[in-house]
């Protein structure tokens, strides 16, 4: 038994694996907490769009030799403000604004990147993530941003409860509802940025939505939903990373598959899953 | 009884002076004036599209005025805005959001004390007291989406009690509420008024408005009548507001057919 356990735990010996595990746990926890609002307020499309919209910022930062997180943050903020501007001041709905800006931004990123000689390899790593390539200083930044996001979510908990449940009451009571909603978007953008290296642009939305949606099937209260979402996100990250090592599969996609599997099982057995529908229908 | 929860901070009066509200080119409220005082229940009635919700939104500061002014205790909005506690229409709320009855009441504390302040034990006691006053203590931990319509309104009243404003503006508090639950809510509203709060509520039920309201505002974009129930709800005035949807049966009974 000892030797079996030893061989299962073998990858732990590698420093890149240790950093990768730490990264997926940090990212899983942050996504679980912030993802609760993404799921409950129907912002999945926005989360996906943000993951794509930060792309040109990353490429530009890379070309200018800046830290990619700075470029991603600027592009994310520009997109959030752009969406808000179009949705508030034109006759267009928010989803149209999201669709236009994210596709445009993503295309800009691809065109910028296509000038590079290492285009194909860089594109693959950005789109699909490279959690095993996390450098120690990246990990530090990820950890600091994650702490910032979680601290802000805790500080804004009561305010976001009001704006999410009953925004007219919030405005009537003098809460800065527009700025609180914008703050939530910024928190989502930051979460997307710290998740990019783990699973890449295309799959970030899965980390943001799937663990929280799974948690929603198990609980009717927000705080337990956040805690369970964080635990499920971290669990999927760890199990997925180990599985990808043994299966020699891409780590980001394997993590998302584990998360999806947890969701499908919950769909069948959780109190808020398909069972609930059947008993209601009957 | 927790007297500190009930103490009015003065003698609230609400003055609406020649208030008009526009949606684009359409005039949703046209030249509405009335004065209401502490301890009164004002029933706002009128046909669909009469501007009841618009009036409430204007009073709580959600809509800009095209003309006129609104004063709470002689102070103009928006400075006086925090004195008006808003209970929105049921449709305005996301009932699927996972929030407990207690958390909804605690929103009143957050609204009063500032949104960055953490909730402490005394806040919780205050919320529990408010829930006790509306008879909802037993369902403290229930998700708000899973209690009945009448119970949800009582929770909103507890939230309003916690927020502690002098003026309460309730938009259709009886919609989707059965008769027994309606009576419980009326009872709470009367108590709140007796303790010095000014209550504005809109309703589709003219009989209920007449029975509950100290004054009635009959609205059809313009104010048709404002006064004691038997004056404001005279058949000729109802006909002016509702047109041919009013039927007078015998001497006393009046029926209004109003479709939603």
């Amino acid at each position: 038994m000892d030797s079996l356990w030893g061989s299962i735990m073998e990858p732990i010996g590698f420093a890149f694996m240790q950093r990768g595990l730490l990264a997926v746990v940090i990212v899983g926890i942050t996504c679980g907490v912030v993802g609760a609002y993404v799921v409950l307020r129907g912002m999945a499309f926005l989360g996906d769009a943000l993951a794509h919209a930060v792309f040109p910022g990353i490429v530009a930062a890379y070309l200018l030799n800046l830290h990619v997180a700075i470029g991603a943050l600027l592009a994310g903020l520009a997109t959030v403000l752009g969406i808000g501007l179009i949705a508030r001041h034109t006759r267009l709905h928010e989803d149209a604004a999201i669709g236009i800006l994210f596709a445009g931004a993503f295309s800009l990123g691809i065109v910028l990147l296509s000038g590079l000689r290492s285009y194909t390899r860089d594109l693959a790593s950005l789109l699909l993530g490279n959690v095993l390539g996390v450098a120690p200083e990246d990990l530090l930044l990820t950890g600091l941003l994650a702490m910032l996001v979680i601290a802000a979510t805790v500080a804004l908990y009561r305010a976001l409860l009001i704006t999410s449940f009953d925004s007219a009451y919030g405005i009537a009571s003098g809460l800065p509802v527009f700025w609180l909603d914008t703050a939530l978007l910024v928190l989502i953008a930051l979460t997307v940025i710290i998740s990019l290296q783990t699973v890449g642009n295309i799959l970030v939305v899965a980390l943001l939505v799937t663990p929280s949606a799974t948690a929603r099937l198990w609980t009717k209260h927000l705080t337990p939903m956040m805690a369970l979402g964080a635990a499920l996100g971290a669990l999927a990250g760890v199990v997925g990373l180990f599985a990808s090592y043994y299966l020699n599969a891409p780590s980001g996609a394997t993590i998302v598959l584990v998360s999806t599997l947890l969701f499908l099982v919950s769909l069948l057995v959780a109190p808020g899953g398909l069972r609930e529908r059947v008993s209601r229908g009957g | 009884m927790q007297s500190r929860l009930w103490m009015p901070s003065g003698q609230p009066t609400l003055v609406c002076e020649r208030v008009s509200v526009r949606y684009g080119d359409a005039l949703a409220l046209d030249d509405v004036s009335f004065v209401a005082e502490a301890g009164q229940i004002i029933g706002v009635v009128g046909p669909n599209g009469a501007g009841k919700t618009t009036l409430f939104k204007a009073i709580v500061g959600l809509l800009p005025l095209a003309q006129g002014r609104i004063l709470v205790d002689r102070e103009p909005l928006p400075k006086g805005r925090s004195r008006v506690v808003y209970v929105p229409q049921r449709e305005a709320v996301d009932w699927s959001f996972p929030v407990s009855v207690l958390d909804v009441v605690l929103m009143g504390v957050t609204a009063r004390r500032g949104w960055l302040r953490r909730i402490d034990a005394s806040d919780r006691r205050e919320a529990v007291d408010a829930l006790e006053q509306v008879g909802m203590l037993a369902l403290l931990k229930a998700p708000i989406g899973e209690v009945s319509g009448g119970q949800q309104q009582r929770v909103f009243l507890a939230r309003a009690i916690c927020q502690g404003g002098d003026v309460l503006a309730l938009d259709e508090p009886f919609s989707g509420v059965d008769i027994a639950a309606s009576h419980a809510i009326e009872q709470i509203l009367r108590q709140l008024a007796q303790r010095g709060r000014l209550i504005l509520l809109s309703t589709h039920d003219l009989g209920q408005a007449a029975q509950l309201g100290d004054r009635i505002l009959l609205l059809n974009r313009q104010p048709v009548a404002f006064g004691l129930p038997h004056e404001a709800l005279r058949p000729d005035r109802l006909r002016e507001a509702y047109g041919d949807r009013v039927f007078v049966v015998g001497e006393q009974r009046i029926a209004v057919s109003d479709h939603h």
Side-chain angles (χ1 to χ4, degrees), chain A residues 14-266:
Chain A
F14 303 113
F16 67 83
M17 194 68 176
Q18 292 164 2
R19 286 198 296 273
L21 282 170
L22 201 51
V24 295
V25 168
I26 293 171
V27 166
I29 290 172
T30 315
C31 282
V33 171
V34 174
Y37 289 107
V38 176
V39 167
L40 293 170
R41 293 178 57 154
M43 299 165 92
F45 182 44
L46 183 88
D48 194 24
L50 274 176
H52 288 78
V54 298
F55 191 49
I58 291 172
V59 178
Y62 183 67
L63 293 175
L64 297 171
N65 223 355
L66 294 167
H67 197 288
V68 290
I70 296 170
L73 186 60
L74 290 177
L77 290 179
T79 310
V80 164
L81 292 176
I83 291 167
L85 196 72
I86 294 173
R88 275 165 71 91
H89 298 292
T90 73
R91 60 183 66 170
L92 294 172
H93 283 297
E94 194 180 65
D95 62 336
I98 294 170
I100 293 160
L101 289 183
F102 106 77
F106 191 58
S107 304
L108 178 64
I110 290 177
V111 170
L112 282 177
L113 192 67
S114 64
L116 293 181
R117 212 164 346 145
S118 54
Y119 170 63
T120 314
R121 199 192 57 217
D122 290 347
L123 184 67
S125 129
L126 282 171
L127 293 186
L128 298 174
N130 181 17
V131 69
L132 296 179
V134 175
E137 58 269 25
D138 291 340
L139 198 55
L140 184 67
L141 185 69
T142 300
L144 288 175
L145 282 177
M147 275 195 277
L148 178 75
V149 168
I150 291 171
T153 312
V154 171
L156 295 178
Y157 181 80
R158 291 284 158 189
L160 289 177
L161 219 50
I162 295 179
T163 61
S164 303
F165 174 67
D166 190 355
S167 68
Y169 172 76
I171 298 170
S173 306
L175 256 70
V177 171
F178 171 75
W179 291 110
L180 288 166
D181 285 343
T182 306
L184 179 60
L185 292 181
V186 172
L187 292 178
I188 294 170
L190 286 171
T191 308
V192 162
I193 288 165
I194 65 173
S195 312
L196 279 175
Q197 194 159 23
T198 312
V199 290
N201 290 76
I202 296 175
L203 296 176
V204 163
V205 68
L207 288 194
L208 216 45
V209 170
T210 311
S212 298
T214 309
R216 181 72 180 106
L217 300 181
W218 288 99
T219 173
K220 290 173 177 172
H221 295 280
L222 182 57
T223 315
M225 180 179 163
M226 286 175 165
L228 186 57
L232 289 168
L235 179 71
V238 171
V239 173
L241 197 53
F242 270 101
S244 76
Y245 178 86
Y246 296 117
L247 302 172
N248 201 18
S251 52
T254 314
I255 290 169
V256 171
L257 277 180
V258 172
S259 195
T260 310
L261 198 66
L262 288 170
F263 173 76
L264 291 175
V265 171
S266 299

